[in-house]
């Protein structure tokens, strides 16, 4: 993995742990009444706070962002894409998945997008409509 800012690397280590919690949550259907490890709203709130923190440092978007840029940003876009795929699969589980797992994946994909923008240092590749016509 390319070099990441220290705060991003630290956050990703926390997210890796949260994803194991998410896996444990998904392993037991929501309808199961036994006490099990579940994702907590605080874990989703932490992601939302990180999104707000990094977004405050970025210029507002004026166009769609293309995946790519720096190697770190490109990898973060890959992670975001995998996260969105996981989110779609959790949606397909319906009532068997806890609502918090879906919220977590949704906010995580947003954070990964924002971190990719940050990793590009404001020089992200933007979509140019009709460029190849």
């Amino acid at each position: 993995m390319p070099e990441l800012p220290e705060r991003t690397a630290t956050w990703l280590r926390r997210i890796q742990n949260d994803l194991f919690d998410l896996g444990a949550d998904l392993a037991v259907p929501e309808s199961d009444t036994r006490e099990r490890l579940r994702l907590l709203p605080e874990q989703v709130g932490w992601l939302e706070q990180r999104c707000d923190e990094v977004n405050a440092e970025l210029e507002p978007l004026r166009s769609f962002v293309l995946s790519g840029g720096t190697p770190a940003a490109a990898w973060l876009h890959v992670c975001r894409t995998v996260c969105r795929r996981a989110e779609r699969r959790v949606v397909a589980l319906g009532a068997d998945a806890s609502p918090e797992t879906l919220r977590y994946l949704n906010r995580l994909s947003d954070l990964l997008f924002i971190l990719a923008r940050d990793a590009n240092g404001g020089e992200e590749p933007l979509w140019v409509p009709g460029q190849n016509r």
Side-chain angles (χ1 to χ4, degrees):
M1 181 82 157
E3 184 90 16
L4 292 168
E6 183 55 37
R7 79 172 177 188
T8 300
T10 300
W11 293 350
L12 291 177
R13 282 188 290 278
R14 176 181 172 148
I15 289 165
Q16 284 179 304
N17 281 285
D18 284 352
L19 288 173
F20 272 83
D21 291 354
L22 185 141
D25 192 326
L26 287 173
V28 179
E30 183 68 9
S31 59
D32 192 318
T33 57
R34 294 176 290 168
E35 187 170 326
R36 295 288 191 226
L37 180 63
R38 297 286 184 203
L39 280 177
L40 301 173
E42 293 81 15
Q43 289 167 289
V44 175
W46 182 84
L47 291 174
E48 291 171 341
Q49 290 169 352
R50 301 298 74 78
C51 286
D52 292 344
E53 183 179 330
V54 179
N55 243 345
E57 301 168 3
L58 298 172
E59 291 294 320
L61 281 176
R62 293 179 185 22
S63 179
F64 288 105
V65 173
L66 302 176
S67 297
T70 67
W75 277 110
L76 287 161
H77 279 296
V78 169
C79 293
R80 175 186 55 83
T81 301
V82 171
C83 186
R84 285 287 188 211
R85 181 173 46 215
E87 182 182 3
R88 288 190 306 275
R89 290 187 177 171
V90 170
V91 166
L93 291 174
D96 285 336
S98 74
E100 223 50 55
T101 60
L102 189 56
R103 285 196 231 7
Y104 187 90
L105 290 170
N106 181 269
R107 300 317 302 163
L108 176 57
S109 61
D110 289 346
L111 178 59
L112 292 168
F113 174 78
I114 293 165
L115 290 175
R117 290 191 64 214
D118 184 55
N120 276 326
E123 299 295 322
E124 60 242 343
L126 299 177
W127 172 51
V128 180
Q131 180 180 16
N132 297 316
R133 290 187 188 166

